[in-house]
Each structure stands twice: as C-alpha cells, then as structure tokens.
C-alpha cells in the first residue's frame, strides 16, 4: 500500500509540474513586438488587397485576429523576416478597432513611408 501511495504521489507531482510548465509557456498566438528582430522607426503602411490576414504572430501558424482590406492604414514599428508588427491607425474596413496590434506580411503593403 505504501508503494502505491508513493507512486500515486509521484504521478500527481509529475502531472502538476508538466501542467504548470505548459500553462507558463506562451501560446503561439501571444507573440507581440518582443518577437521582432529589427526596428522600423514608426512607418506608415497601407494594405494592398482585400481579405489580408492580420495575425497574432510573424507567420502563418499564428491565429488570425481579423482581415484587412485595400487602403487600411497601419503604423509599422518593427519586423521579423518578411513580417511587420503594426498597429491600426483607424478602424479597419474589416471591423478591427483602431489601435489593434498584429502582424502583416511585408508584401501585403503597397506604401511604407516614414
């Protein structure tokens, strides 16, 4: 019986430790400006196309926060690879609120000016 209790206690401890580690690890959808590898001194960009994914992180594996449409304006602050971290300058045509932050692929912008 004592061996059973020790084994059960060990199993519970391992489960709690693993669960705690999983709970503390950031989700793929939680990537913000800390994921940037270079800065762009606060540029303005304009979306080039309709239905562009505005993502939670720099890659297609991150969740989509909403869609951007031709002419939606963004303030781009930094980037990682071909992705720019940005903030909406005003409410998007897709309904995202002004100030919403997210990631857009660099080739989805047709204007980038300081």
């Amino acid at each position: 019986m004592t061996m059973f209790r020790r084994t059960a206690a060990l199993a519970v401890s391992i489960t709690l430790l693993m669960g705690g580690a999983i709970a503390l690890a950031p989700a793929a959808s939680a990537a913000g400006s800390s994921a940037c590898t270079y800065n762009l001194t606060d540029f303005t960009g304009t979306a080039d196309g309709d239905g562009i994914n505005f993502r939670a992180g720099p890659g297609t594996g991150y969740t989509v926060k909403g869609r951007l449409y031709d002419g939606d304006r963004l303030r781009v602050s930094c980037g990682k690879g071909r992705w720019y971290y940005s903030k909406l300058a005003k409410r998007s045509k897709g309904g995202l609120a002004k100030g919403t932050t997210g990631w857009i692929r660099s080739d989805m912008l047709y204007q980038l000016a300081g």
Side-chain angles (χ1 to χ4, degrees):
M1 187 78 151
T2 305
M3 184 60 128
F4 175 76
R5 286 184 188 167
R6 287 184 185 165
T7 304
L10 180 62
V12 169
S13 297
I14 290 171
T15 302
L16 289 174
L17 287 173
M18 289 179 62
I22 292 168
L24 295 175
S29 63
S33 63
S34 63
C36 290
T37 56
Y38 59 89
N39 290 322
L40 296 166
T41 314
D42 213 18
F43 285 93
T44 299
T46 305
D48 183 21
D50 289 331
I52 299 167
N53 291 328
F54 197 49
R55 295 189 178 273
T60 57
Y62 291 87
T63 59
V64 175
K65 290 184 163 190
R67 307 243 190 269
L68 300 178
Y69 292 86
D70 199 46
D72 282 339
R73 300 193 46 89
L74 306 157
R75 295 296 292 170
V76 178
S77 57
C78 61
K80 180 175 184 175
R82 295 179 44 203
W83 292 85
Y84 291 147
Y85 181 74
S86 55
K87 178 168 50 170
L88 284 168
K90 64 178 189 173
R91 184 176 180 85
S92 74
K93 294 175 185 176
L96 291 171
K98 174 183 177 179
T100 301
T101 58
W103 292 82
I104 184 169
R105 212 173 64 211
S106 61
D107 61 338
M108 296 290 116
L109 298 175
Y110 68 79
Q111 179 184 346
L112 193 62

